[in-house]
Amino acid sequence: MELYNENHAYQAGDIVYVFYRNPHTQDVANIQAAAVVKNPDDSNELSLFLYENYYPLSNEVAVYATEAEAQEAYYYYYGDVSEGDWND
């Protein structure tokens, strides 16, 4: 099972899915949609725009092209997604 494809070529305007940890409750992770945008500090690079913040789009971030891929990976790492409401 391929959980993360680091060779995917993303473009500004793509919507992707990432795992987001609640900064106040570190043991809670959710699947969250994020936008791929041009980095505001360097227009030659891409960033993820999530919760009004920019994050580097790098190999250190597990990015999923579809919600289904993100759900599959979430289940693999965290268990059954139906145990909680991950899609806020």
Side-chain angles (χ1 to χ4, degrees):
M1 169 170 68
E2 183 173 318
L3 299 175
Y4 172 61
N5 182 359
E6 64 186 21
N7 297 319
H8 186 85
Y10 295 106
Q11 298 179 31
D14 288 348
I15 300 299
V16 296
Y17 298 87
V18 298
F19 296 158
Y20 180 79
R21 287 201 180 273
N22 183 325
H24 305 290
T25 312
Q26 287 294 309
D27 63 341
V28 174
N30 298 298
I31 297 170
Q32 182 64 46
V36 176
V37 298
K38 289 187 178 186
N39 182 329
D41 297 324
D42 183 349
S43 62
N44 294 321
E45 295 181 1
L46 296 175
S47 294
L48 293 172
F49 188 67
L50 176 67
Y51 289 117
E52 305 297 321
N53 290 299
Y54 295 93
Y55 298 93
L57 182 58
S58 70
N59 291 338
E60 295 178 11
V61 179
V63 177
Y64 302 94
T66 68
E67 190 173 13
E69 289 175 3
Q71 287 176 349
E72 184 178 350
Y74 187 97
Y75 178 77
Y76 179 81
Y77 289 113
Y78 298 107
D80 190 358
V81 295
S82 67
E83 293 173 0
D85 183 21
W86 59 269
N87 192 14
D88 293 329

